Amino acid sequence: AIWQEVLGLSQPVGIRDNFFELGGHSLKATQLVSWIQKQLDASVPLGEVFASPTVEALAGYLEAAATMERYEAIGQAELREWYPASPAQQRLYVVSQLDTGGIGYNIPWALEIAGELDVERVRESLNELAARHESFRTSFAMQEDQLMQRITDRVNMPLEVTDSTEEEAKTQVKAFVRPFDLGEAPLLRAGLICLEERRHVLLLDMHHIVSDGVSMDVFVDEFARLYA
């Protein structure tokens, strides 16, 4: 059942089905380890998922070698104006400062949307997402030789709306991905290209310092729910 939830499958998982053949990857494996600890109070190394990629094999590891470890949720931090950046954020910030015009840590997506589309509802859904998740309201700055992050109460998510032909859209998509100023929130931008009356392309671009592949899946799922 845990595998089925992590992999987003509608059909049951067999005990000899291979996690990676069912669509799993390293980020999904990390989620799997977290869910196992949360629901079974058992600590499993990430490498064991790769070594034992079936329910049967992983169950054998759990019986023989898993460390029993009570799951504890991370508590909410107290409200402050500034928070210390994580080591991973510090590394990304340094690299970004060395290459101020670079886009190597941008995470772009393009989603084609068929059917009627209400542009204002798209805009409202994006702003609601930013209100729900602090990462989309976070910016970064040096404070006394330490990288800190600041979370603003509310931001207006930029949405660039343009009309375009199919050929022009390819150029627009490439131009959409550009450097972020890490000192200004949100570190996310959205664009909407209207190809036809009932055919649009939604463009998203986030900086890796506030997002990753799992975050994008959550973003797209919540955006669809909010719009609906």
Side-chain angles (χ1 to χ4, degrees):
I2 293 174
W3 282 38
Q4 190 175 345
E5 180 69 28
V6 170
L7 293 169
L9 301 174
S10 56
Q11 72 273 20
V13 175
I15 63 170
R16 296 185 180 90
D17 289 338
N18 187 292
F19 181 78
F20 300 100
E21 292 175 1
L22 292 175
H25 48 69
S26 57
L27 290 174
K28 293 287 187 183
T30 303
Q31 288 181 289
L32 181 68
V33 167
S34 176
W35 275 65
I36 288 173
Q37 184 178 1
K38 185 176 182 179
Q39 297 195 25
L40 304 179
D41 286 334
S43 180
V44 177
L46 180 60
E48 194 58 38
V49 178
F50 291 88
S52 306
T54 68
V55 171
E56 183 178 51
L58 205 56
Y61 173 84
L62 287 170
E63 291 176 350
T67 303
M68 304 312 291
E69 186 175 314
R70 183 175 176 80
Y71 175 85
E72 291 186 16
I74 298 174
Q76 186 173 8
E78 70 276 12
L79 289 175
R80 301 187 206 166
E81 184 177 3
W82 294 95
Y83 300 86
S86 71
Q89 289 173 326
Q90 292 173 29
R91 289 193 296 271
L92 283 168
Y93 185 85
V94 169
V95 172
S96 297
Q97 297 310 297
L98 294 174
D99 184 16
T100 54
I103 56 172
Y105 288 99
N106 288 43
I107 305 177
W109 273 42
L111 307 171
E112 186 169 348
I113 303 174
E116 292 185 14
L117 192 70
D118 186 329
V119 176
E120 284 309 307
R121 283 182 77 176
V122 170
R123 200 183 306 275
E124 290 169 9
S125 299
L126 290 170
N127 283 326
E128 183 61 28
L129 267 166
R132 286 168 59 84
H133 298 286
E134 288 91 343
S135 57
F136 299 132
R137 294 181 275 113
T138 299
S139 58
F140 297 82
M142 297 298 297
Q143 297 280 324
E144 299 180 355
D145 296 328
Q146 184 178 4
L147 181 63
M148 305 291 285
Q149 51 185 322
R150 183 176 188 176
I151 303 170
T152 57
D153 292 334
R154 195 159 189 90
V155 297
N156 286 318
M157 194 75 75
L159 178 65
E160 305 166 15
V161 183
T162 57
D163 295 321
S164 178
T165 65
E166 190 99 28
E167 198 58 39
E168 292 171 339
K170 296 177 182 178
T171 303
Q172 286 181 290
V173 169
K174 290 181 179 178
F176 182 75
V177 182
R178 53 191 187 271
F180 283 99
D181 177 359
L182 300 187
E184 294 289 334
L187 298 178
L188 160 75
R189 63 176 66 97
L192 192 64
I193 300 175
C194 178
L195 299 174
E196 301 169 9
E197 186 177 350
R198 296 174 59 86
R199 187 162 166 249
H200 297 76
V201 176
L202 177 65
L203 304 175
L204 300 171
D205 189 19
M206 305 183 192
H207 197 282
H208 190 31
I209 201 168
V210 296
S211 183
D212 59 19
V214 173
S215 306
M216 289 299 292
D217 288 341
V218 173
F219 183 97
V220 173
D221 177 66
E222 289 195 13
F223 171 79
R225 292 169 183 267
L226 287 166
Y227 181 86

